[in-house]
Amino acid sequence: MLTNKITRRVFIGATAYVVSAPLLASIFNTKINMRKVVENGQFFDAYALTMLTDVAEIMIPKTDTPGATDANVASVLDGLMVTWAGSKTKQQYISIIQQIEVIAKATYQGAYQQLSLQQRQQLITELDKRAFVNQETDLSASYRHLKEMIFHVYYTSEQANLDFVLIPGGYRGDLSKAELDVIKKRGYL
Amino acid sequence: MSQTLNKSSEKVTTPTSEQIFDVIVVGSGITGGWAAKEFCEKGFKTLVIERGRHLDHPSPEYNDMKAPWQLDNLGFAPETLKEQGRYSQLIAKKKVLKSDSIQFYSDDSEYPYSFPKERPFMWTRGYQLGGRSLTWGRQVLRWGKKDFDANAKDGHGVPWPIGYDDLAPWYDYVEEFIGVAGNKDGLDSVPDGVFQKPWEMSSAEQFIAKNIARKYSDRHLIIGRSANLTQPTQKQQQLGRIQCQARAYCARGCTFGAYFSSLSATLPAARNTGNLTIVTDAIASSIDYNEATGKASGVTIVDAHTKEKRSYKARVVFLCASALGSVQILLNSKSKTFPNGIANSSGAVGHYIMDHFTGAVGMGEVPGLEDKFSYGRRPIGTYIPNYRQDKTDDVDFIRGYGFQTVAASRPSSGTTAKKIGIGVEVKAQANQPKPWYFRAFMYGEILPYYENQANLHPTKKDAWGIPQLHIDAQIRDNERKMIKQAAKDIKEILEVGGCNKVKIIETPNDKHITVGNRTHEMGGACMGANPKTSVLNKWAQSHDVANLFVTDGACMSSCATQNPSLTYMAITARAADYAVKLMNEGTL
């Protein structure tokens, strides 16, 4: 029985990689506003993790609410590559990181990690537009898939769900905003 | 693993092949649990045989106490499963296979079955103690009089040997024990029962229900009837069950025992009597038949791990292994008297396979309620019961359909994950409340077609040497006609209900609809008065073998439109009561 359970858990990827993903060791480059990851992850190397961290933060920046870096999106994604991703996804994510680098060099004649924040924002914003306008290319498919996962990781994170209630205690379906706010403040029905 | 579960402790003992039980119950799911409870509470030594692994309640495998960010892979099932060809049917059944509950579903690559290539059949299984009662939908609607009369009225299938009045007291009995949150709606199509406080309708659902009521006399939007406790009784509390906390994480297992499962309710009740023995990891391969007595003598199982065969003996056998599981066991129980499977002198075993089907989905925005909100996650939807049984409006089909509906909470604007947009602005606009949105899914009745059948594959076997089940079932002309009318109906209902921007999705005539997709598979050992055309009598007792009963979905002679589990449970309790009388008389 025990063997069966262990086999099953391991097989379905039920490990603790994701929730216990370590914070990435990194150095913040104030000159170009980029967090450089200095250690390899479980799947991505440090260079790729730097790219992922930056791209995710450009997509979901810190505002008055936490951003992608606050939610450890890159390190969680790194863990997911070990426990969740299939071979196609792995290939797509590696490919899109390489392609962003190629686009950076073609556009700005410099490596992505040497560009200013404004240039990087422009690059990713333009890539985002083009990826959805023309969805037929591999570049588009890889980008859209990566973006979807970055958003999923962020929007399921604790940092993005500060008002999540695990045990509501009951259901009400006809509340005014004021009534709802009172319940939310109390934290249970 | 074999266990005798006692009141004070859970001692593990191994029943011997010589030991004769009063009753063997094959399967520990929604009906197996009921059979076990009934027999144990009436003093009979009962053995439950479960093919899957042992689970406790609450179980360490439950994931209901985890926040979204604590779930393995943030809720996603690993992509690698698809690459490995695993869980293919569940992957096809979108949104079911998730990391929070995958442990309660069986992998069809480990437990293969067969179907014609052009007509896939979806057989969703849960091989663990408690079976699919851990993951069921918990919608518990009684069948009405017309549902039981339908076969006799229109000549399809085998006429039911029982009517609503036969089952009504057993519905009461079951509802009181499991706990049903429901409203007394006064509808003949879904008769009222023993209810706890109903779940509240949302403002949008109330709005639509009122508008529908103003226009129609035959169509009603009601709150679903849910096997989630809203006012637990003393008896329910004594079993460790408490009020539902509106988390809607039921499929992960419920630590609170707030929704009914055999693991949280019937099996503990049976265990408390001291009369229950459970054997897990034991795959029932056949019912043993004694040619001399003309009765079933017990059950042969294959050990899931060692693959060794062993047999258990009993006075009475209750087959509760799920509709198709029971059919497989019946067909595989061959003897001199029953060369085509036990209890199969009629040749009807395996025939009349049914499920519900959907082919029309309607949705629309509910305007004018932007100042209304909800709190909590209600564990049940709303429902529009079947109103087509009387063949009104010159429709060109028989039977009918209901709609499973919902607008329990306001949808959010979502994110731009799948569309253009990144950065500060789109982040600020993400997940804002949108207007209320109502959805309706047709649930139609598949007629009991003799041609829709399951039989044993002539050559393919599973890893335990048991012939695979080959299932060939499809919807036909009557069901296609229903889809067309249901699409028209739901458009009108949504508009009458006050919805805007109504959208209808109708499955085209040439698109295959996979039977089994609704996980309401029924039939295969139908009840009927005539032993020449049916397998079971009005007590769900084999016409051929007096001490063999089949009380899961296999016994159903038609499938109506309501979720069927409540009816299975009522039939099981009624059958057990009858069997007890026969046992006390010495007939069995």
Side-chain angles (χ1 to χ4, degrees), chain B residues 18-64:
Chain B
E18 290 72 40
Q19 190 173 350
I20 298 177
F21 289 90
D22 292 316
V23 183
I24 290 176
V25 177
V26 181
S28 65
I30 215 148
T31 56
W34 263 98
K37 173 181 121 51
E38 294 304 292
F39 285 114
C40 286
E41 288 184 342
K42 283 161 185 163
F44 293 96
K45 294 292 180 191
T46 304
L47 172 67
V48 170
I49 294 173
E50 167 53 50
R51 63 174 295 157
R53 68 194 181 283
H54 175 78
L55 275 190
D56 291 315
H57 170 78
S59 168
E61 293 192 31
Y62 291 178
N63 282 318
D64 59 323

Side-chain angles (χ1 to χ4, degrees), chain B residues 3-20:
Chain B
Q3 296 191 324
T4 299
L5 303 177
N6 294 328
K7 204 170 193 174
S8 53
S9 63
E10 297 194 348
K11 274 189 199 168
V12 178
T13 59
T14 304
T16 62
S17 295
E18 290 72 40
Q19 190 173 350
I20 298 177

